[in-house]
Amino acid sequence: MINKARLNRVLILALPIIGGMTSQNILNLVDTAFVGQLGDASLAAVGLGGFANFMAIAFITGLASGVQAIAARRYGEKRFDETAIGLNGGLILAFSIGVPLSVILIFAAPWLFPLLNNDPAVIEVGVPYWQARLAGMVFVGMNFSFRGYWNGVNQSGYYMRTLLMMHTLNIFFNYALIFGNFGFPELGATGAGIGTSLSLVFGTAYYFYLGMRHARPAGFLHGIPNREQFTSMLRLALPSSIQTFFFAAGLTAMYWIIGQVGTRELAAANVLVNIMLVCILPAIGLGLAAASLAGQTLGAGDPEGAKQWGWDVSLVGFVFLLLLGSPMWLATSPLLSVFINDPATIATASLPLKMVGWFMAFDGIGLILMNALLGVGAARTVMKVSIISQWLFFLPIAWLVGPYLGGGLIAVWVAQFVYRAIQAGIFATLWHRANWQHIKV
């Protein structure tokens, strides 16, 4: 059992992260509720476009792992004047990768999006929505770099504060641009994409303001990493980026598989995934806290203490998610009716949502330990486990039991939970073996 002092340390670091990440997905659910008023085609298009965007930005969101690992390790080593050097490098990489990649993908979107779904109504809505999201790619990368830094130096409150501001703006922009309120043009689902990108611009500007006020003594904008530091950052960030890309591509492939079952199932899956992430993102937030605590403890020369942080945070996450998942099987239909108007779509989503509520506490352990492994520098191992379990196990089985054998959405959901359980077991075994204790950052 975790003692009170360690529990307090976990909560002090993790609660702002959880608050920020939970606010992020609550706002995603608000977006979903807004777009859900436009019909199943728009709901499916926004869900598919969101995951296509997730896949597109993967190579810059992975920068957060590299920035956080370096910042946490330097913090533990008490080299406080160097903790923001990795952040400077992350911002440079986010700009140099994000700008050209977003331009290329914006022009390619009309040809790429139809590969994900062949429904003309979904394509018509999905392409401009995805293009609007792609316009904010460079700001996503910068936001993730700042997130990694603040979490790595125990200043996660700045992360939460910025996210709350961004998502408040996102609600305003979406309400204005989707429906044409406050004198803005009525842009439908495209307005949701524009609103999200605009909120990222404001969030990035605020992060720079906070960096100038609170991170200048740590080296913020004082210089760029040297060649060795850039190499270390890329060694940590690249496997994480590749893993994130394949995970996002796998989610997009799952959407494609469900789309072969039917548009109603695809619309239901979009709502299910967004609801699930409201509760799963706190597990990722706890994992980021575990990453910082373990990385700092390794930097202080205590590898066994670092290992214990992973187990302590996992215990907290299991209890928290067990409670958080209960409304999914106690109030299934009322919860779904907030986001879905069609009774048939609600019926399609009901059993899968109950399954999410039953399983999410166990899935949370895997997510916590996965992020802890990233935080101590084991990004290459995480990449291998994630890609193999998703692409060689889950996706082929999901296609087989779903559209091919006719099991539908429920069969795909069962296959997903089996894959996540296996993956969680592997991450727990890797954490227990503790080969990561010898990784240099």
Side-chain angles (χ1 to χ4, degrees), residues 44-125:
V46 168
L48 196 58
F51 279 107
N53 190 64
F54 183 22
M55 184 168 56
I57 65 176
F59 285 104
I60 52 176
T61 59
L63 293 169
S65 297
V67 172
Q68 181 168 348
I70 292 172
R73 193 69 64 93
R74 299 295 171 269
Y75 189 91
E77 294 167 349
K78 301 189 184 304
R79 295 159 60 182
F80 301 119
D81 60 335
E82 299 178 29
T83 55
I85 297 300
L87 171 60
N88 296 340
L91 295 174
I92 292 170
L93 291 172
F95 183 84
S96 59
I97 296 171
V99 171
L101 185 58
S102 63
V103 171
I104 292 170
L105 289 175
I106 285 171
F107 282 102
W111 292 272
L112 293 175
F113 194 89
L115 299 176
L116 306 176
N117 188 279
N118 58 9
D119 186 332
V122 174
I123 294 171
E124 182 181 2
V125 177

Side-chain angles (χ1 to χ4, degrees), residues 256-276:
W256 179 86
I257 289 169
I258 295 171
Q260 304 308 299
V261 178
T263 298
R264 175 174 288 123
E265 286 76 9
L266 184 59
N270 179 38
V271 174
L272 287 167
V273 169
N274 277 285
I275 292 175
M276 180 175 65

Side-chain angles (χ1 to χ4, degrees), residues 111-306:
W111 292 272
L112 293 175
F113 194 89
L115 299 176
L116 306 176
N117 188 279
N118 58 9
D119 186 332
V122 174
I123 294 171
E124 182 181 2
V125 177
V127 170
Y129 171 79
W130 187 27
Q131 289 173 321
R133 294 291 302 273
L134 289 169
M137 179 182 292
V138 66
F139 303 104
V140 172
M142 290 184 175
N143 269 258
F144 270 76
S145 295
F146 276 109
R147 185 193 81 177
Y149 173 73
W150 295 125
N151 292 344
V153 297
N154 295 343
Q155 296 291 338
S156 53
Y158 295 132
Y159 165 59
M160 182 182 72
R161 184 191 306 176
T162 306
L163 274 184
L164 290 174
M165 182 202 74
M166 287 170 54
H167 298 319
T168 301
L169 288 172
N170 194 29
I171 286 182
F172 169 78
F173 287 133
N174 283 358
Y175 183 68
L177 293 170
I178 292 173
F179 304 112
N181 293 310
F182 309 119
F184 285 85
E186 183 178 348
L187 301 177
T190 303
I194 294 173
T196 299
S197 291
L198 285 174
S199 68
L200 286 166
V201 173
F202 283 97
T204 301
Y206 188 59
Y207 268 138
F208 270 95
Y209 167 76
L210 290 174
M212 294 298 292
R213 286 200 61 186
H214 303 288
R216 290 290 280 179
F220 179 59
L221 300 185
H222 281 187
I224 63 174
N226 59 34
R227 183 175 180 179
E228 181 181 353
Q229 291 168 329
F230 258 124
T231 301
S232 179
M233 174 176 292
L234 289 172
R235 178 175 55 82
L236 295 169
L238 187 58
S240 178
S241 294
I242 294 172
Q243 178 260 326
T244 303
F245 172 80
F246 276 95
F247 176 71
L251 285 177
T252 306
M254 183 186 77
Y255 266 64
W256 179 86
I257 289 169
I258 295 171
Q260 304 308 299
V261 178
T263 298
R264 175 174 288 123
E265 286 76 9
L266 184 59
N270 179 38
V271 174
L272 287 167
V273 169
N274 277 285
I275 292 175
M276 180 175 65
L277 289 178
V278 167
C279 296
I280 288 298
L281 274 181
I284 299 175
L286 282 164
L288 294 173
S292 291
L293 292 167
Q296 291 168 9
T297 308
L298 276 179
D302 182 9
E304 287 306 309

